[in-house]
């Protein structure tokens, strides 16, 4: 019962945050220099064109009425029309979002598969030379910009060794993305490198913290081996902080996709946002911002749900 109340409270908070996000996006649209009409039609638009556009879009109504109309459009899935593609923003996002999700999920899976055992292995060998070496490499990988790492990978593995293509798979469908799995290697590695550095550090710290708990000393006194303690006892408890960080890392993943997708010409949300920024396609820009913001809220909500499943202490402490 207490867990259910906690989850309902978190769901209500998520709804409130999403409502605030819609208000912020609406304000961004109306804070454009000269208003939305001037920002969309450009500096060369005549007063007559601006007035006609405002009438057609309902921008001559009071702001409160405009927001209610805008909110109603969002509830119907209407995010406006792209003036560059002459296509609905919702349709563009539906085409591009699954590809970005595939890329980000692959990056997260690869990063976690490497970072979790690496962090535990470092904790088991703390303060040894190999621990210091991995820590140094992690800091370098974390501090290296994604575009720089991507360029290095392209030069080494695409132009010098010629193992992988320098561009990601194209096409309008997910099938076309999976049709060239070798073309996904460099984008996935580029995005996963910084995540490995971050999550291995969190896993190391969490594992070290749990190794000092009473239940570990009890297990050792009972004759359990070091590996058995790590796998059976410490592993699950150490995942809590990693799961929490994964939810909060959602905006970083989407932000990183902007660089990775532009660098490798991957047809996802990041490339869509980049092209919209180049052409001042404000409906697409604001639609992308709204979707990424909602994804961030949903990601943090899922992280809290997973925490209650993994660690019973979270249920007791937050309910």
């Amino acid at each position: 019962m207490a867990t259910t109340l906690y989850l309902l409270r978190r769901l209500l908070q998520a709804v409130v945050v999403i409502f605030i996000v819609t208000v912020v996006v609406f304000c961004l649209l109306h804070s454009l220099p000269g208003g939305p009409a001037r920002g969309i039609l450009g500096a060369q638009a005549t007063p007559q064109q601006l007035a006609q556009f405002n009438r057609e879009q309902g921008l001559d109504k009071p702001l409160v009425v405009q927001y209610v109309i805008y909110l109603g459009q969002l509830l119907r899935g209407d995010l406006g029309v792209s003036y560059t593609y002459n296509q609905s923003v919702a349709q563009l996002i539906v085409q591009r979002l699954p590809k970005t999700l595939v890329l980000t999920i692959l990056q997260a899976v690869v990063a976690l598969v490497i970072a979790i055992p690496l962090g535990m292995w470092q904790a088991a060998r703390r303060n040894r030379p190999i621990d210091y070496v991995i820590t140094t490499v992690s800091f370098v990988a974390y501090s290296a910009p994604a575009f720089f790492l991507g360029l290095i990978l392209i030069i080494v593995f695409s132009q010098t060794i010629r193992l992988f293509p320098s561009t990601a798979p194209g096409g309008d469908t997910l099938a076309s993305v999976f049709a060239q799995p070798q073309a996904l290697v460099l984008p996935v590695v580029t995005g996963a490198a910084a995540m490995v550095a971050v999550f291995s550090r969190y896993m190391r710290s969490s594992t070290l913290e749990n190794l000092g708990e009473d239940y570990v000393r009890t297990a050792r006194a009972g004759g359990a081996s070091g590996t058995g303690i790590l796998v059976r006892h410490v592993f699950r408890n150490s995942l809590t902080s990693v799961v929490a960080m994964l939810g909060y890392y959602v905006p970083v993943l989407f932000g990183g996709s902007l660089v990775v997708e532009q660098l490798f010409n991957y047809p996802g949300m990041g490339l869509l946002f980049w092209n919209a920024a180049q052409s001042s396609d404000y409906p697409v820009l604001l639609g992308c911002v709204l979707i990424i913001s909602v994804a961030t809220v949903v990601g943090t909500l899922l992280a809290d749900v997973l925490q209650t499943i993994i660690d019973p202490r979270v249920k007791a402490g937050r309910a």
Side-chain angles (χ1 to χ4, degrees), residues 44-274:
Q44 305 301 321
T46 64
Q48 293 78 13
Q49 291 173 326
L50 295 175
Q52 181 181 357
F53 182 88
N54 287 332
R55 284 194 303 271
E56 292 174 351
Q57 301 297 322
L59 297 175
D60 55 347
K61 296 181 173 63
L63 283 178
V64 175
V65 177
Q66 291 185 47
Y67 177 73
V68 172
I69 295 173
Y70 172 72
L71 197 59
Q73 291 174 337
L74 290 182
L75 293 176
R76 295 193 303 270
D78 183 5
L79 298 176
V81 177
S82 168
Y83 294 95
T84 301
Y85 297 93
N86 195 25
Q87 193 175 352
S88 79
V89 175
Q91 187 176 358
L92 287 170
I93 291 176
V94 167
Q95 292 174 354
R96 304 294 187 95
L97 183 59
K99 299 171 188 175
T100 294
L101 288 176
V102 167
L103 182 63
T104 53
I105 289 173
L106 287 175
Q107 290 172 351
V109 169
V110 169
L112 292 177
V113 166
I114 297 174
I116 289 175
L118 181 62
M120 295 184 67
W121 188 73
Q122 278 189 264
R125 291 159 178 79
R126 61 187 179 278
N127 299 329
R128 296 183 185 178
I130 188 62
D131 181 29
Y132 294 128
V133 170
I134 295 177
T135 298
T136 302
V137 173
S138 296
F139 283 134
V140 171
Y142 179 71
S143 60
F147 72 88
F148 176 76
L149 178 60
L151 288 175
I152 294 297
L153 292 176
I154 290 173
I155 292 172
V156 175
F157 294 102
S158 181
Q159 297 181 358
T160 304
I161 304 179
R162 299 185 182 275
L163 282 178
F164 305 108
S166 60
T167 58
D172 297 328
T173 63
L174 281 178
S176 62
V177 173
F178 289 111
Q180 306 175 51
Q182 71 279 6
L184 285 171
V185 173
L186 294 186
V188 169
V189 172
T190 301
M195 286 188 65
V196 171
V198 171
F199 285 101
S200 64
R201 298 301 299 165
Y202 273 98
M203 194 65 187
R204 179 185 181 276
S205 299
S206 183
T207 301
L208 286 175
E209 180 181 349
N210 279 276
L211 285 174
E213 295 290 340
D214 292 337
Y215 71 88
V216 173
R217 287 191 285 270
T218 302
R220 283 175 178 161
S225 65
T227 303
I229 292 173
L230 283 174
V231 174
R232 296 186 194 135
H233 303 287
V234 175
F235 173 68
R236 179 172 176 175
N237 292 332
S238 299
L239 280 179
T240 305
S241 62
V242 175
V243 170
M245 279 303 301
L246 186 61
Y248 299 122
Y249 216 72
V250 170
V252 180
L253 288 173
F254 277 98
S257 70
L258 172 65
V259 177
V260 174
E261 291 182 11
Q262 193 276 332
L263 181 62
F264 292 97
N265 198 30
Y266 183 86
M269 285 276 290
L271 187 60
L272 176 66
F273 188 90
W274 175 272

Side-chain angles (χ1 to χ4, degrees), residues 14-31:
V15 172
V16 172
V17 171
I18 291 175
F19 171 76
I20 295 174
V21 167
T22 64
V23 174
V24 172
V25 172
F26 177 80
C27 293
L28 286 175
L29 178 62
H30 286 76
S31 65

